[in-house]
Amino acid sequence: MKETPLSNCERRFLLRAIEEKKRLDGRQTYDYRNIRISFGTDYGCCIVELGKTRVLGQVSCELVSPKLNRATEGILFFNLELSQMAAPAFEPGRQSDLLVKLNRLLERCLRNSKCIDTESLCVVAGEKVWQIRVDLHLLNHDGNIIDAASIAAIVALCHFRRPDVSVQGEEVTLYTPEERDPVPLSIHHMPICVSFAFFQQGTYLLVDPNEREERVMDGLLVIAMNKHREICTIQSSGGIMLLKDQVFRCSKIAGVKVAEITELIQKALENDQRVRKEGGKFGFAESIANQRITAFKMEKAPIDTSNIEEKAEEIIAEAEPPPEVVSKPVLWTPGTAQIGEGIENSWGDLEDSEKEEEEEGGIDETVILDDTKMDTGEVSDIGSQALGPLMWSSSKLLFWNFLKGAPIVLSDSEEEEMIILEPEKSPKKIRAQTSANQKAPSKSQGKRRKKKRTAN
């Protein structure tokens, strides 16, 4: 597990706050974070939230052969997993020292304390016993993993129901939940872990440390206790020396906290059992609080529609009347068709860049309109300089000549004349390409055409 080290400034800030008996989340020195328990649709599935630390617990069972030295006892197996989903510092597929320490502490707390009657899990002595497996998955890490994991494990075991079995001779019959009701496990007591963090060699003490406080603590003391004030296990880590009075003081605090947590667990189990008997809705989806972004349903708020007309009239009366704008139709070019009503543009003033583009476009258009009075050869020469690489057809030139009142000269060519304009550094005249079969007109024919135009 590779955690990002805290800076010296953050470390000094946390230690200074602890000396002043202030915590980042606003709690007092001996306060526990809020605990929330929710159950899934299946028996033995639960989620425990200790502040922002979240642990999922799932219990499963299987008929197996017993151990040779304990032929009449069932088997309990605990497995805690730390995934990268909980914190980026956790390495997948590798058992770190923290994971090994947490698993051993859970086994001592729940299995070695004999909180579950393992002899009641025996079906046939020496042949068939129940193996109970408790899988714990850390969903989010915000400190104090062992307390949240121990609560999730004992809650899942109390909520679990194993299938009913019957033995006739050597034949073992396993019944489904539809045939017979599942049987709960026999639990004697509920051991729960309570963690204490020490700072500055035991000078300061905090209950239920969060992730930031765990990074700057000098030592940790974990006490597993039930509501009868019986200590199931105790473990100290960090290499600090504790006095006898400090341990007694922590045990008294743990007794109060364990009694409160046990009462909360019993109430949660009773509420879930009552809802299941009444046929109500249960499961993780129903446990999500409403009126949140992550909720699956929202309550509809009633809307009063009795005096809508009065409110609308008040709003209209208080509003300013719209300005009167008389639009005048504008005909841009006489003798041309238009789409729409021909109303003048009412948009705001153009920007400087748009004005420049518009002026450049207007200059080009005037050049084209003036040049259309000339012959085809002159138009092609000027257009190549002003417009760049464009393609003009004789039909477009005829249209412009018609608009400006210029005389229209029809070509004798059967094919449509096409003029291609190409950008060049030195302007050159581009001759009209005609069909290969048609010959170029002679000079005498050109003089005759000019005489006819002057006569007209």
Side-chain angles (χ1 to χ4, degrees), residues 394-441:
S394 60
S395 59
K396 294 181 180 179
L397 294 174
L398 293 173
F399 176 73
W400 287 113
N401 289 333
F402 170 75
L403 294 179
K404 302 300 292 184
I408 299 173
V409 180
L410 298 177
S411 175
D412 298 334
S413 170
E414 295 178 359
E415 299 181 0
E416 184 179 8
E417 295 183 359
M418 190 67 66
I419 300 170
I420 301 174
L421 307 179
E422 297 179 356
E424 294 181 359
K425 295 182 180 179
S426 60
K428 296 182 181 180
K429 294 185 178 181
I430 301 174
R431 297 179 180 178
Q433 298 178 0
T434 59
S435 61
N437 297 330
Q438 186 180 1
K439 297 181 180 179

Side-chain angles (χ1 to χ4, degrees), residues 301-421:
I303 300 175
D304 186 12
T305 59
S306 58
N307 55 351
I308 288 181
E309 296 181 358
E310 298 178 359
K311 292 182 179 179
E313 291 177 357
E314 292 178 359
I315 294 172
I316 294 173
E318 294 177 358
E320 297 180 358
E324 296 181 359
V325 178
V326 180
S327 58
K328 297 180 180 180
V330 178
L331 296 179
W332 298 103
T333 307
T336 58
Q338 288 182 325
I339 299 175
E341 300 178 357
I343 300 176
E344 190 175 359
N345 188 7
S346 60
W347 289 93
D349 295 336
L350 299 177
E351 296 181 359
D352 297 337
S353 59
E354 296 178 352
K355 288 180 179 179
E356 294 176 359
E357 293 177 0
E358 189 176 3
E359 290 175 358
E360 292 176 359
I363 294 171
D364 296 341
E365 188 175 358
T366 54
V367 171
I368 294 169
L369 292 176
D370 294 339
D371 294 341
T372 51
K373 296 180 181 180
M374 304 179 185
D375 293 338
T376 308
E378 296 176 358
V379 171
S380 62
D381 188 10
I382 297 173
S384 63
Q385 299 176 10
L387 298 177
L390 296 174
M391 187 177 290
W392 287 79
S393 63
S394 60
S395 59
K396 294 181 180 179
L397 294 174
L398 293 173
F399 176 73
W400 287 113
N401 289 333
F402 170 75
L403 294 179
K404 302 300 292 184
I408 299 173
V409 180
L410 298 177
S411 175
D412 298 334
S413 170
E414 295 178 359
E415 299 181 0
E416 184 179 8
E417 295 183 359
M418 190 67 66
I419 300 170
I420 301 174
L421 307 179

Side-chain angles (χ1 to χ4, degrees), residues 105 108 221-224 231-236 247 251:
L105 188 57
R108 291 202 307 269
L221 177 66
V222 180
I223 299 177
I231 296 178
C232 302
T233 184
I234 186 170
Q235 176 177 331
S236 176
V247 177
S251 63

Side-chain angles (χ1 to χ4, degrees), residues 80-98:
L80 175 63
E81 292 185 2
L82 306 178
S83 64
Q84 282 188 320
M85 180 178 64
F90 296 137
E91 300 178 6
R94 179 179 176 273
Q95 283 194 351
S96 59
D97 296 338
L98 176 63

Side-chain angles (χ1 to χ4, degrees), residues 91-248:
E91 300 178 6
R94 179 179 176 273
Q95 283 194 351
S96 59
D97 296 338
L98 176 63
L99 181 59
V100 174
K101 182 178 70 174
L102 293 175
N103 277 315
R104 290 179 179 175
L105 188 57
L106 279 175
E107 290 181 357
R108 291 202 307 269
C109 174
L110 297 172
R111 186 172 60 186
N112 297 347
S113 63
K114 302 294 182 181
C115 66
I116 296 178
D117 186 8
T118 54
E119 293 184 356
S120 63
L121 301 175
C122 178
V123 179
V124 178
E127 295 183 4
K128 295 290 182 183
V129 295
W130 285 108
Q131 179 183 0
I132 306 299
R133 179 186 176 94
V134 183
D135 291 303
L136 301 171
H137 301 270
L138 182 64
L139 304 180
N140 189 41
H141 174 42
D142 191 30
N144 202 2
I145 301 174
I146 185 61
D147 289 13
S150 65
I151 296 172
I154 195 64
V155 169
L157 288 171
C158 293
H159 190 254
F160 179 68
R161 303 287 187 273
R162 65 171 179 83
D164 194 8
V165 295
S166 64
V167 181
Q168 295 179 355
E170 296 181 354
E171 183 180 358
V172 178
T173 305
L174 185 66
Y175 296 98
T176 61
E178 290 78 13
E179 295 174 349
R180 288 189 182 181
D181 293 336
V183 180
L185 301 179
S186 178
I187 298 177
H188 298 307
H189 58 92
M190 297 183 185
I192 296 171
C193 295
V194 180
S195 300
F196 301 89
F198 292 92
F199 302 87
Q200 296 185 6
Q201 296 300 320
T203 306
Y204 301 99
L205 169 67
L206 292 181
V207 180
D208 183 22
N210 56 22
E211 192 263 343
R212 291 281 178 177
E213 293 168 348
E214 285 182 350
R215 291 192 182 189
V216 298
M217 68 182 180
D218 296 333
L220 183 69
L221 177 66
V222 180
I223 299 177
M225 185 182 294
N226 57 20
K227 67 177 182 180
H228 307 294
R229 295 181 180 272
E230 297 173 351
I231 296 178
C232 302
T233 184
I234 186 170
Q235 176 177 331
S236 176
S237 60
I240 60 171
M241 301 296 294
L242 297 177
L243 300 176
K244 179 177 63 175
D245 296 337
Q246 291 177 322
V247 177
F248 286 158

Side-chain angles (χ1 to χ4, degrees), residues 58-72:
Q58 177 67 59
V59 180
S60 58
C61 63
E62 184 184 3
L63 282 174
V64 296
S65 300
K67 296 181 179 180
L68 296 177
N69 56 350
R70 297 180 183 275
T72 60

